[in-house]
Amino acid sequence: MTDDYPNTQSIDANDPSLTSWVESANTPGIDFPIQNLPFGVFLRNDDNANKPAVGVAIGDSILDCSACWNAGLFSNTPCEDSNIFARGSCNRLAALGRARVREIRDRVSWLLRSDTDAIKGNEALRERGIVSMSNATMLMPFAIGDYTDFYASANHATNVGKMFRPDGDPLLPNYKHLPVGYHGRASSIVVSGTGIKRPHGQLKADDAPPTFGPCRLLDHELEIGCFIASGNELGSRIDVNDAPGHIFGIVLVNDWSARDIQKWEYVPLGPFNAKNFGTTISPWVVTLDALAPYRKPLPARADGDPAPLPYLSPDAGSESEAMGLEINLEVTIESAKMREEGIAPMRISHSSGMDLYWTFAQMIAHHTSTGCNMRAGDMLASGTVSGVNEDQRGCMLELTWRGQNPVKLPTGEERKFLADGDRLTITGHCEREGAVRIGFGECSGVVLPAE
Ligand code: MN
């Protein structure tokens, strides 16, 4: 069978004319056509003895890469010596590095295309290798060693600055010179569908001593996250031009935030407990290669904005320059009452990956500029992605302007911040003329009451 494999150079996994023998993948507008092929980790619901495995989303199903490896279908690829898919994370896969992951994705593309019989023509393998998403539970795609959250949307930073520092420039002097970030908490990152318990914390009204109790100003943050493929040695740096070669792929992120805890604790060292009680991510990691048709340079900086220092300036025409991501992002809310009354979730904002001031390549170059080491499976998140318009604000703090203009729900309820029972869902997709639309699935979570 291996003799039949095509030369990897002959594969274009993003070819818009490709179709799959998994029929659901050919439905126009679906998130997971054969041109996407994101990686994730799943568990079959029908098989108690089964262990988690790495899979690829295809239409409404999952290709079980471990079952395919066992059948010899990854011969002559960078993973032929070891079944790196028979695991509960994509870390080993990612550690191969982006170029090798691309070869593996190209093999998956070939296995799934309409005219390839390797799985399609083998009933037993088809049974084992293709799992309906309705018959699987998605798990965390990575064992995340380290997590860093940035603040890369100038629109968001400007809005927050206007609210909290009404006198003077809303952006602090460093903002346009370096990608501002903080070291987040990896242990509390959870996969879409996990409930988020309202945290307790220290709260302080302006005219009273601090108290301890449940957060009252719970918020979401619409973000995108980047998973690291191969990392760098401690003491070495990742050049901004090489940074795309270290990126595995992109997910949707909700950085749940307790604004009242944050307000009292954040000076002088930044967010701490306000951000460590839960961060939700979408389960499917869309590779940087799948995003190739949707990547281009960020808009030119405005007149008067400083040019980035050389270590943050990609070469003209380089892949690193084309790291603006044209991902259409949306947030919906569904209150418990809406759910009971059968009312569809309501869209509260939308923005784009192009609304960022810094790219993930620049964030990686800056993060490692000290010699700090990245490791496979580390996650960097963008910070709240807000556009320029009022309906493009990526968190409740901005949408309601600190609660001054509540969001009105179709039930007559109002939200200044999030209430128990609210379900927040982030979705994302890319589409343009001449390419096939691809999507990210969803990043969703319900607010559970404090205990
Ligand atoms: Mn954030």
Side-chain angles (χ1 to χ4, degrees):
M1 190 186 292
T2 53
D3 293 342
D4 298 336
Y5 292 147
N7 181 327
T8 48
Q9 267 79 50
S10 68
I11 296 268
D12 175 7
N14 296 339
D15 180 346
S17 71
L18 292 177
T19 57
S20 175
W21 52 266
V22 179
E23 289 293 337
S24 61
N26 305 324
T27 311
I30 198 166
D31 277 355
F32 307 119
I34 193 169
Q35 288 81 3
N36 192 345
L37 306 179
F39 290 94
V41 174
F42 72 101
L43 195 61
R44 286 171 196 254
N45 294 341
D46 62 357
D47 184 350
N48 288 336
N50 192 54
K51 296 213 164 60
V54 174
V56 168
I58 180 74
D60 60 10
S61 298
I62 301 167
L63 179 74
D64 182 337
C65 294
S66 178
C68 294
W69 191 95
N70 289 333
L73 298 176
F74 284 99
S75 300
N76 301 329
T77 72
C79 65
E80 69 176 347
D81 293 336
S82 169
N83 187 351
I84 55 173
F85 307 114
R87 292 174 180 272
S89 81
C90 294
N91 291 58
R92 283 281 297 279
L93 171 66
L96 292 173
R98 178 168 160 222
R100 293 190 182 115
V101 172
R102 180 190 301 135
E103 282 187 54
I104 291 167
R105 175 173 175 264
D106 289 348
R107 172 63 59 85
V108 170
S109 170
W110 182 77
L111 289 170
L112 288 169
R113 60 188 60 181
S114 295
D115 53 4
T116 304
D117 274 330
I119 303 173
K120 180 177 71 168
N122 179 334
E123 192 182 340
L125 190 50
R126 221 167 47 229
E127 283 285 299
R128 191 67 200 159
I130 297 287
V131 184
S132 168
M133 285 184 183
S134 62
N135 188 31
T137 301
M138 295 308 298
L139 306 177
M140 282 286 288
F142 280 95
I144 302 174
D146 274 299
Y147 160 46
T148 305
D149 195 22
F150 284 86
Y151 196 51
S153 158
N155 301 318
H156 171 69
T158 299
N159 284 334
V160 172
K162 280 181 187 166
M163 277 183 260
F164 291 93
R165 294 183 305 278
D167 308 317
D169 191 339
L171 292 182
L172 290 169
N174 59 8
Y175 189 84
K176 291 184 171 176
H177 293 277
L178 58 86
V180 170
Y182 67 94
H183 291 297
R185 183 75 193 167
S187 66
S188 52
I189 302 176
V190 295
V191 75
S192 181
T194 308
I196 297 293
K197 197 185 293 179
R198 180 179 296 272
H200 280 69
Q202 268 202 29
L203 319 171
K204 189 185 175 309
D206 287 341
D207 50 2
T211 58
F212 182 78
C215 162
R216 293 178 193 144
L217 308 182
L218 185 62
D219 204 351
H220 66 277
E221 289 191 338
L222 162 62
E223 306 197 12
I224 52 178
C226 154
F227 276 105
I228 297 296
S230 53
N232 59 305
E233 292 294 319
L234 180 61
S236 71
R237 295 186 265 178
I238 296 178
D239 187 280
V240 69
N241 290 302
D242 299 333
H246 291 266
I247 295 174
F248 181 85
I250 304 293
V251 291
L252 308 172
V253 178
N254 183 351
D255 176 25
W256 304 89
S257 299
R259 298 300 182 196
D260 39 8
I261 298 173
Q262 186 176 358
K263 185 181 176 215
W264 173 228
E265 77 174 4
Y266 87 102
V267 177
L269 289 185
F272 181 45
N273 280 349
K275 304 267 189 179
N276 72 4
F277 59 92
T279 302
T280 307
I281 64 171
S282 53
W284 293 109
V285 189
V286 177
T287 64
L288 205 54
D289 288 303
L291 289 165
Y294 303 103
R295 285 167 34 206
K296 61 182 188 184
L298 289 177
R301 293 189 165 197
D303 288 345
D305 283 359
L309 287 169
Y311 81 101
L312 294 174
S313 300
D315 293 342
S318 66
E319 186 186 24
S320 183
E321 188 186 44
M323 277 298 292
L325 304 174
E326 281 195 293
I327 306 171
N328 302 299
L329 301 164
E330 273 193 23
V331 183
T332 66
I333 188 169
E334 177 198 61
S335 68
K337 193 170 180 196
M338 289 168 72
R339 212 154 39 243
E340 282 160 22
E341 297 181 4
I343 298 171
M346 183 181 94
R347 184 172 94 162
I348 51 174
S349 72
H350 65 102
S351 62
S352 164
M354 294 300 286
D355 290 321
L356 296 174
Y357 192 83
W358 298 100
T359 67
F360 280 119
Q362 290 170 313
M363 294 180 222
I364 290 170
H366 182 65
H367 203 318
T368 63
S369 62
T370 54
C372 174
N373 48 332
M374 295 283 134
R375 294 175 297 187
D378 284 357
M379 188 175 96
L380 311 184
S382 61
T384 307
V385 187
S386 294
V388 290
N389 300 330
E390 289 187 14
D391 64 348
Q392 295 173 338
R393 294 170 174 170
C395 62
M396 296 297 280
L397 178 71
E398 285 175 87
L399 276 173
T400 69
W401 211 257
R402 295 173 95 172
Q404 287 172 32
N405 311 306
V407 170
K408 292 179 171 53
L409 305 183
T411 48
E413 298 170 283
E414 287 191 346
R415 287 291 179 272
K416 296 176 177 174
F417 289 89
L418 301 176
D420 293 348
D422 286 354
R423 176 184 293 281
L424 255 286
T425 302
I426 299 172
T427 55
H429 74 273
C430 305
E431 62 185 333
R432 72 161 175 78
E433 198 72 25
V436 174
R437 178 198 189 279
I438 60 173
F440 284 74
E442 62 177 41
C443 170
S444 188
V446 173
V447 178
L448 304 177
E451 279 176 4

